[in-house]
Amino acid sequence: MSDHPAWHAATRLLHDDAALNEDAAVVPPIHYSATFRARDAAEFAEMANRPRHPRYYTRYGNPVHERVARVMAALEGTETALLTASGMGAISTAVLAHVQAGDHVVAQTRHYMSTAKLFDELLPRFGVQATLVEQSDAAALEAALRPNTRLVMLETPANPTLVLTDLRTVAALARPRGILTIADNTFAGPLNQRPHELGIDIVVHSATKQLGGHHDLTAGVICCSEAQAERLWRTHITLGAVLSPMDAWLLLRGLRTLDVRLERINASALALAQWLERQPAVERVYYPLLESHPQHALARAQMRGGGPVIAFALRGGFEATGRFVAALELATHAVSLGGVESLVVHTAAMWAGTMNEAQLAAAGIPPNFVRFSVGLEHPEDLKRDLAQALARAFPEH
Ligand SMILES: *Cc1c(COP(=O)(O)O)cnc(C)c1O
């Protein structure tokens, strides 16, 4: 938790870890050391036995991890945070730390794909049953809760159509029953949405996305209470998804500018989503802060900004959509999101090697669907690029 709760996020991002400064260096050093020296036997015993000691052995903790955790906890409003080597490291650690054979868990029908596999494939192998519910249907979620339900996994907004989960409502259903809630806050990010303030217990992130923000590192974060962190850490040191000190340092460097990056990205993304809605070759645009979003009121109630990702469907098939994506000059055809460069994904093209158009449609992957992660290019340049690509792919409009 921040020592200075009155500071704005932009300030906390820069100064909340200052108390961990050891010397005169303005920029923290990278402690690129797997292990740390004890001065004597008493100190060695203290190092080995204190959970999350930042100077014992890097799988257990590292000074750079400690600094990033301080900043992340302040951002999400939790007591502390734990770093992992990837977003999936954070999600699998958070879930596996809390379940055992015989438990039941509830998750969404739509999740980040590897998260879905955790619930569909991995947990059942260990005797943990998952019920998947439509995330916009709180009544279905309530109906899925059982006496042995241990946790509820949430993700909002979620791929592919940026559908939302009502975090306040789910927290109010789970908490009185003693059921843990975990929310993946990767798409919105902590400046746009703070699940813990709405009653969610644990917030996880793929820090690979907007938190790192430069498409150059892979990392994950679990934001939680001190008591939860100790339990999570005990699972974490067994699973071993440990973030390298270099990537932790790059993440801290990325976080310093999160506020200005997201301010620009939120504004550009909303402007581009509104503009795309007016283009004749665009069939439908999905963005939480568009008034046309089916859960716009919920978006207003739980989000301060829409985040980097816009999804849209074009008035054409696989070929025309592919031509549009190929014609873009600024947005790079690559997965991931939330970084400085705009990225675009033709969702169906990811699967084109293994499924034909009919199979894609059956799998709920429309051939005309595009996911666009808005970067820091000037919004007018992005708009011009989208316009020329639409004109080339859809000359009839
Ligand atoms: C990318 C992503 C993940 C996985 O993160 P990695 O850092 O790639 O392991 C999890 N959830 C969401 C919503 C993501 O976008």
Side-chain angles (χ1 to χ4, degrees), residues 47-387:
M47 285 159 62
N49 291 304
R50 172 147 63 94
R52 308 168 67 211
H53 197 303
R55 287 176 183 77
Y56 168 59
Y57 183 65
T58 286
R59 179 159 47 80
Y60 287 50
N62 180 282
V64 196
H65 293 173
E66 190 183 31
R67 292 182 81 120
V68 182
R70 185 69 63 93
V71 172
M72 278 309 305
L75 276 179
E76 286 291 3
T78 55
E79 284 174 7
T80 188
L82 190 71
L83 298 189
T84 56
S86 65
M88 283 318 302
I91 292 164
S92 56
T93 301
V95 171
L96 291 171
H98 290 98
V99 294
Q100 59 185 33
D103 282 348
H104 172 252
V105 299
V106 173
Q108 302 179 171
T109 50
R110 276 172 300 248
H111 270 295
Y112 181 75
M113 191 189 304
S114 299
T115 305
K117 284 199 189 304
L118 174 67
F119 291 99
D120 282 353
E121 294 176 13
L122 195 132
L123 290 184
R125 283 172 37 208
F126 296 93
V128 177
Q129 260 196 310
T131 303
L132 306 183
V133 296
E134 163 51 49
Q135 72 195 86
S136 59
D137 187 350
L141 187 132
E142 184 170 20
L145 300 176
R146 302 179 190 166
N148 65 335
T149 304
R150 183 74 182 90
L151 66 85
V152 179
M153 179 77 207
L154 306 166
E155 180 177 333
T156 179
N159 263 331
T161 55
L162 304 184
V163 59
L164 308 182
T165 311
D166 184 337
L167 294 170
R168 244 185 224 104
T169 299
V170 176
L173 290 172
R175 193 162 270 182
R177 294 170 166 87
I179 298 170
L180 187 80
T181 47
I182 304 175
D184 182 338
N185 201 25
T186 300
F187 266 46
L191 300 177
N192 289 327
Q193 176 172 276
R194 306 226 304 166
H196 186 63
E197 279 179 357
L198 306 175
I200 299 299
D201 296 311
I202 294 179
V203 182
V204 291
H205 278 281
S206 169
T208 312
K209 314 295 167 54
Q210 60 170 273
L211 302 179
H214 293 73
H215 299 138
D216 55 5
L217 62 88
T218 301
V221 187
I222 309 173
C223 300
C224 58
S225 71
E226 290 285 352
Q228 285 159 348
E230 184 167 340
R231 178 190 188 111
L232 289 162
W233 173 81
R234 290 190 192 285
T235 299
H236 171 63
I237 60 172
T238 302
L239 294 176
V242 175
L243 183 60
S244 88
M246 180 73 213
D247 282 358
W249 187 90
L250 282 171
L251 173 54
L252 187 61
R253 182 184 164 119
L255 281 168
R256 301 298 194 205
T257 57
L258 182 69
D259 189 78
V260 281
R261 284 189 287 109
L262 262 290
E263 196 176 302
R264 165 66 79 89
I265 285 173
N266 282 337
S268 296
L270 181 58
L272 288 174
Q274 288 166 338
W275 177 82
L276 279 165
E277 272 197 315
R278 298 194 300 269
Q279 305 313 303
V282 177
E283 183 180 280
R284 177 89 198 261
V285 183
Y286 303 87
Y287 190 69
L289 292 194
L290 282 181
E291 280 171 26
S292 60
H293 189 286
Q295 297 163 292
H296 180 67
L298 176 59
R300 287 252 168 247
Q302 70 182 21
M303 300 178 77
R304 283 164 233 187
V309 179
I310 306 171
F312 51 97
L314 296 173
R315 289 193 201 281
F318 185 86
E319 297 299 329
T321 306
R323 278 200 306 279
F324 164 77
V325 169
L328 288 167
E329 288 169 6
L330 285 177
T332 305
H333 196 185
V335 292
S336 202
L337 58 108
V340 291
E341 300 94 357
S342 291
L343 300 181
V344 63
V345 171
H346 180 197
T347 317
M350 288 204 282
W351 308 101
T354 48
M355 289 190 252
N356 64 30
E357 204 160 316
Q359 288 168 319
L360 285 168
I365 307 167
N368 59 339
F369 213 80
V370 176
R371 190 179 86 187
F372 197 97
S373 170
V374 177
L376 290 182
E377 298 89 352
H378 196 284
E380 287 303 321
D381 295 335
L382 288 174
K383 195 184 294 178
R384 213 172 299 129
D385 190 30
L386 287 162

